[in-house]
Every structure is written in structure tokens, then in C-alpha cells.
């Protein structure tokens, strides 16, 4: 029955009236749904573009598109139908640099040629310590005589990599390469075993995207890896990872050497190797590879991606950026979109022979200190690197409060701690690199400030 106060009143019967009410309800619901959808899309776009600097990492919903019982292997174009990659493509570079991402949409054949070098090389330049290193260089690059770590290689899932390894005739050892990116006997090691003066070639399909270790697997494999015979192979997914402002490669490794003699030469120490007690732990093969003039540089507002391989030989790495976070972690360096990324991690575990891919956002100017947070390796053994973030301060994120206002008026049971790592200059005479760790704590209304404690790389372990 019609009612004067009923906005949906009809003049016929109640059934018809209900239909009109339902139709109008549906219409209102539909309009509201459309508006809600548009608003949600706008909010999502704002979050992705503004809140995350335009970065769109893989999401759990995307990962769910490939259930575990389905293959993630690419559909392979037969090798006979593949074209050679454009000669302008770059597939090898030296860390911390990486070759540019492979962004083409088809599978190609590309070639890389590595040479094996053996030489006495710097290990701890600030202390004048050298050791015998074996490693890899881009073939023909005679400017490189120390090949540890070896070049960073890069290709795309589905590509065929034609890899040639040459053992220079001046070398003394047989060598080869086991590529963790390769599917086939020994990762190619047997097929690539070469005596001094020999070369060998394999053609291999890149099936899984990620950041992969490669290493020598000849003879006493631990001895060869401990001499520096390793590198990194980045395999880009079919759909490239989101573009970032910087991409860098870092390789952690251990050096089992004696104390240096009077000339600074530290020799291979098999006892230390057997005990898994390295004398040095380094990023990119040197104690100074990522500091001073070699520190990495980015700006506030930029995003950097680090491809990190733990070359071992024996230790797991606890990769941590002091003063920042891993905004994105591709766990175990497995960048296939079927995987779920981690957001906002503090420290990511990287097993020996494994990797991670992490991203860091510059939010305030500082020096991010890259460490293995098993900190003996950083303070006593050399595993440290720096990312300098330039730009404008942001007090909404970080500011120092003067001590007079920082001290609580009433004793509090809640303590606060802050820590910083910095380098100190060694004297010209000792040429020591000093690290100091300054710990300041505010606890129960009292301030404790410990004096900087310098340790030297040569500090006996
Ligand atoms: Cu070798």
C-alpha cells in the first residue's frame, strides 16, 4: 500500500512496490560499488606510486597464481630457432657493478668468455696484506690480474648461455666452473675442466631466475674456493623486476690464511680451513672493496637493489644494513614471481652457496653500514661496506635530541640504545684501518657512554 512518507511508494500493489525498491536498491548498490572500486583503485595507485616510489614488488596474490604442483619453467623456444643476442648487450661486469637488466621479451643465445688468473693480490690493503688468489676475469681484460671475485654474469630466463673458460698457460692449477644457475652435471664443472693452456665451452639453458653462485669445483674444491674462485650469475625473470635507481653486486667470502710475514704475504692455511676459522671475511674480495673511495652512493628518495651471494666457503651470512632496513627481500635470491617477497626485514640469512636479493630505500642522509651481523666477522675480520645516502635531512624520520632534553625526568625502566659504526684513520706509520663501535645507552635515568674501542684487522682472533 502506498504511503505518503515512503519515497519508493507505488500506486499499484505491494509486490510491484517491492520490485521498485529492490531495483533502486540494486542501482544505488551498483553505483556505490563502482565508486568504491574507483576509490580503491586510486588509493592503491597512490600507495604504489607515492608511498613506494613507484616500486611494485611481487605480491602474495601474484605469487598465488602458480601453485606448487605446477612448473615454473619457461616455455622454451627450440635452440635451432634462437637468434644470437644483440652484440650491444652486456652480459658481464665487475662487482659492485652489474650488467644492465635483460629486458627483451624473447629468448636468445649469448656468449661469455672467462679467463682464469692466478696471482698474488691485495687482501687487506690498509695493512699491506696480500695473498695468492685464483679467480676469473672477462677474457682479454689484461687490466685485471686478480679475479676474486669473478665477473658478475647476467642473462634472461630461457636464454642459452654459451660459456667458454680458458685457463691461462701461465697458471699452475687445473680449474673449472660449477654454475649454480646451470642445470646439468656438476653445473658444468666436468665439461669445463681445463688444464693450463686449455679452453672449454658449454651451452646451457637458464631455467630459473635469481642470483646464483658460480665457483671452481676442481680437485680440492674447498682449497680452490678459498683461493677466491667464485662469482655471481644473475638470471632475470621473463618479466623484469621493477626498475630501480641502482643495482649492485656484493659477494661475501672467507679467507683462510696465516698471519702475514714481513713482506705482508699471508699464505693459505689448511688448518684454519679445516677448522672453518677464516682469518678474513670480506665483501667483494677485499677489506676495502666497499669503503672510502669505493663506498656505494645513492640519494634520498632513491631505491637500490643488491644482488648478494654468500660464496662461503663455510659460514652462513647474516646480512644487515645498520641504520636501515631491507625494504624488499627476495628470499634466497629466488626472483621468480611465484615467490613471495618479504617487506621491511632487518637481517636476512644467506647460506653458504646461496644468495639473496634485497632492496634499500634512501629515506634520510647517512652512511648505511653493510655487515654480517655475526659481528666478529665485521669488526675483526673485515666484512664491512658502506652505502652513503646523500640528500636532505628529514626530522619526521630521524633527529637528534639534545642530551638535556633527552634525559627522562623520572627514572624509567625502559632503556634505549643506539649504536653506530665508523671508521677511524690509522696513522701513516701503522697504516691500520681502525673500526670503533660506540655504544650509548640511556637506562633508568642514567646515561652510559662507553669509550670508543678500536680494533684492528690484525687483532688476533
Ligand atoms: Cu680452481
Amino acid at each position: 500500500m502506498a504511503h505518503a512518507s515512503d519515497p519508493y511508494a507505488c500506486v499499484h500493489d505491494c509486490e510491484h512496490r517491492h520490485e521498485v525498491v529492490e531495483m533502486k536498491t540494486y542501482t544505488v548498490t551498483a553505483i556505490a560499488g563502482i565508486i568504491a572500486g574507483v576509490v580503491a583503485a586510486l588509493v592503491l595507485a597512490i600507495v604504489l606510486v607515492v608511498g613506494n616510489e613507484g616500486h611494485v614488488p611481487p605480491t602474495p596474490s601474484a605469487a598465488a597464481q602458480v601453485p606448487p604442483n605446477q612448473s615454473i619453467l619457461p616455455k622454451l623456444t627450440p635452440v635451432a630457432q634462437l637468434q644470437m643476442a644483440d652484440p650491444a648487450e652486456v652480459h658481464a661486469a665487475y662487482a659492485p657493478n652489474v650488467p644492465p637488466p635483460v629486458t627483451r621479451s624473447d629468448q636468445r643465445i649469448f656468449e661469455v668468455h672467462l679467463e682464469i688468473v692466478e696471482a698474488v693480490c691485495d687482501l687487506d690493503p690498509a695493512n699491506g696484506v696480500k695473498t695468492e688468489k685464483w679467480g676469473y676475469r672477462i677474457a682479454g681484460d689484461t687490466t685485471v690480474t686478480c679475479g676474486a671475485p669473478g665477473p658478475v654474469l647476467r642473462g634472461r630466463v630461457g636464454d642459452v648461455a654459451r660459456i667458454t673458460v680458458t685457463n691461462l698457460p701461465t697458471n699452475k692449477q687445473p680449474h673449472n666452473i660449477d654454475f649454480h644457475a646451470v642445470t646439468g652435471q656438476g653445473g658444468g664443472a666436468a665439461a669445463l675442466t681445463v688444464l693450463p693452456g686449455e679452453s672449454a665451452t658449454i651451452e646451457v639453458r637458464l631455467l630459473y631466475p635469481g642470483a646464483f653462485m658460480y665457483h671452481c669445483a676442481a680437485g680440492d674444491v674447498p682449497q680452490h674456493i678459498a683461493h677466491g674462485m667464485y662469482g655471481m650469475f644473475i638470471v632475470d625473470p621473463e618479466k623484469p623486476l621493477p626498475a630501480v635507481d641502482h643495482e649492485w653486486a656484493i659477494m661475501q667470502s672467507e679467507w683462510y690464511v696465516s698471519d702475514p710475514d714481513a713482506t705482508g704475504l699471508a699464505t693459505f692455511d689448511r688448518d684454519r680451513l679445516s677448522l672453518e676459522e677464516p682469518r678474513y671475511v670480506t665483501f667483494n674480495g677485499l677489506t676495502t672493496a666497499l669503503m672510502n673511495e669505493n663506498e656505494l652512493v645513492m640519494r634520498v628518495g632513491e631505491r637500490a637493489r643488491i644482488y648478494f651471494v654468500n660464496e662461503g666457503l663455510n659460514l652462513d651470512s647474516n646480512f644487515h644494513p645498520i641504520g636501515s632496513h631491507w625494504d624488499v627481500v627476495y628470499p634466497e635470491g629466488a626472483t621468480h614471481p611465484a615467490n613471495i617477497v618479504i617487506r621491511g626485514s632487518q637481517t636476512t640469512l644467506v647460506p653458504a652457496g646461496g644468495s639473496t636479493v634485497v632492496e634499500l630505500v634512501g629515506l634520510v642522509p647517512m652512511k648505511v653500514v653493510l655487515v654480517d651481523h655475526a659481528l666478529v666477522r665485521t669488526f675483526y675480520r673485515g666484512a664491512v661496506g658502506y652505502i652513503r645516502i646523500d640528500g636532505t635531512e628529514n626530522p619526521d624520520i630521524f633527529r637528534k635530541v639534545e642530551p638535556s632534553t633527552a634525559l627522562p625526568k623520572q627514572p624509567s625502566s625502559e632503556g634505549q640504545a643506539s649504536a653506530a659504526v665508523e671508521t677511524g684513520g690509522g696513522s701513516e706509520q701503522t697504516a691500520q684501518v681502525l673500526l670503533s663501535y660506540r655504544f650509548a645507552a640511556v637506562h633508568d635515568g642514567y646515561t652510559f657512554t662507553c669509550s670508543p674501542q678500536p680494533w684492528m684487522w690484525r687483532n688476533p682472533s
Side-chain angles (χ1 to χ4, degrees):
M1 296 178 63
H3 192 282
S5 64
D6 188 343
Y8 300 113
C10 65
V11 294
H12 300 295
D13 54 45
C14 289
E15 185 177 352
H16 182 205
R17 172 178 168 269
H18 288 154
E19 287 175 358
V20 172
V21 170
E22 287 169 359
M23 286 176 63
K24 296 207 172 188
T25 301
Y26 292 153
T27 303
V28 170
T29 303
I31 293 173
I34 292 170
I35 293 172
V38 170
V39 170
L42 284 173
V43 169
L44 179 61
I46 291 169
V47 167
L48 293 177
V49 173
V50 177
N52 200 28
E53 295 84 37
H55 186 76
V56 187
T59 62
S61 59
Q65 293 174 2
V66 183
N69 62 349
Q70 289 186 15
S71 173
I72 60 167
L73 296 182
K75 183 181 179 184
L76 298 180
T77 304
V79 173
Q81 298 175 18
L82 292 182
Q83 295 181 320
M84 293 298 296
D86 187 327
E89 283 188 8
V90 177
H91 295 279
Y94 293 107
N97 299 315
V98 301
V102 181
T103 56
R104 55 179 153 71
S105 58
D106 60 341
Q107 300 168 9
R108 298 286 181 101
I109 301 170
F110 69 89
E111 296 180 304
V112 292
H113 186 179
L114 300 180
E115 287 175 348
I116 295 166
V117 286
E118 300 174 357
V120 172
C121 306
D122 285 339
L123 174 58
D124 178 3
N127 288 311
V129 178
K130 299 174 180 289
T131 193
E132 182 176 358
K133 293 183 178 179
W134 307 337
Y136 307 92
R137 72 182 182 194
I138 298 169
D141 186 356
T142 55
T143 64
V144 173
T145 56
C146 296
V152 178
L153 309 180
R154 192 163 193 170
R156 177 182 180 273
V157 152
D159 281 354
V160 169
R162 183 179 295 155
I163 304 168
T164 298
V165 176
T166 296
N167 193 350
L168 293 181
T170 50
N171 292 339
K172 298 175 182 175
Q173 304 287 334
H175 298 290
N176 61 30
I177 305 182
D178 166 1
F179 289 97
H180 291 192
V182 165
T183 303
Q185 182 62 48
L192 288 174
T193 298
V194 280
L195 295 171
E198 293 182 341
S199 295
T201 301
I202 56 174
E203 278 193 359
V204 294
R205 208 72 186 246
L206 304 178
L207 298 179
Y208 293 92
F212 297 94
M213 179 185 188
Y214 69 80
H215 61 89
C216 185
D220 181 348
V221 178
Q223 180 188 18
H224 284 242
I225 293 177
H227 275 77
M229 301 201 75
Y230 39 72
M232 179 189 302
F233 202 142
I234 299 169
V235 181
D236 287 313
E238 291 182 294
K239 179 184 177 184
L241 297 184
V244 292
D245 301 293
H246 304 275
E247 285 194 327
W248 296 311
I250 299 176
M251 289 167 264
Q252 178 171 331
S253 62
E254 301 139 32
W255 299 92
Y256 298 86
V257 296
S258 65
D259 287 342
D261 64 16
T263 69
L265 180 66
T267 55
F268 174 62
D269 187 331
R270 192 177 295 280
D271 289 339
R272 277 188 174 274
L273 179 66
S274 298
L275 294 169
E276 303 186 8
E277 292 181 354
R279 184 69 186 79
Y280 286 92
V281 180
T282 60
F283 292 149
N284 287 347
L286 286 175
T287 55
T288 55
L290 295 174
M291 64 168 57
N292 304 328
E293 69 275 16
N294 299 321
E295 65 188 9
L296 305 171
V297 181
M298 62 187 292
R299 293 195 60 80
V300 168
E302 290 186 330
R303 175 179 291 271
R305 177 178 295 137
I306 298 174
Y307 294 89
F308 182 95
V309 170
N310 180 9
E311 315 281 4
L313 182 67
N314 296 308
L315 306 177
D316 296 337
S317 175
N318 313 275
F319 193 39
H320 171 69
I322 292 180
S324 189
H325 300 79
W326 302 129
D327 186 81
V328 177
V329 178
Y330 295 85
E332 302 192 3
T335 54
H336 192 285
N339 297 320
I340 298 174
V341 301
I342 294 172
R343 304 299 305 267
S345 166
Q346 59 187 311
T347 300
T348 194
L349 183 63
V350 189
S355 73
T356 191
V357 179
V358 291
E359 293 177 10
L360 180 145
V361 178
L363 296 175
V364 293
M366 66 170 139
K367 280 197 177 185
V368 175
V369 189
L370 303 173
V371 299
D372 180 336
H373 215 289
L375 286 172
V376 163
R377 302 168 193 170
T378 291
F379 285 95
Y380 298 173
R381 302 206 165 106
V384 64
Y386 293 90
I387 301 176
R388 192 185 79 224
I389 302 177
D390 296 331
T392 307
E393 299 282 354
N394 184 348
D396 283 344
I397 292 179
F398 182 89
R399 69 188 180 99
K400 180 181 179 182
V401 179
E402 292 304 316
S404 59
T405 57
L407 287 172
K409 294 180 180 178
Q410 299 295 330
S412 166
S413 61
E414 296 296 323
Q416 299 178 42
S418 64
V421 179
E422 61 186 23
T423 53
S427 71
E428 287 293 323
Q429 289 182 331
T430 60
Q432 301 283 9
V433 172
L434 305 180
L435 275 180
S436 65
Y437 190 73
R438 185 173 296 158
F439 181 77
V442 178
H443 183 69
D444 286 342
Y446 297 95
T447 299
F448 300 93
T449 302
C450 301
S451 299
Q453 293 293 319
W455 285 287
M456 296 172 285
W457 297 125
R458 281 185 177 177
N459 189 44
S461 58

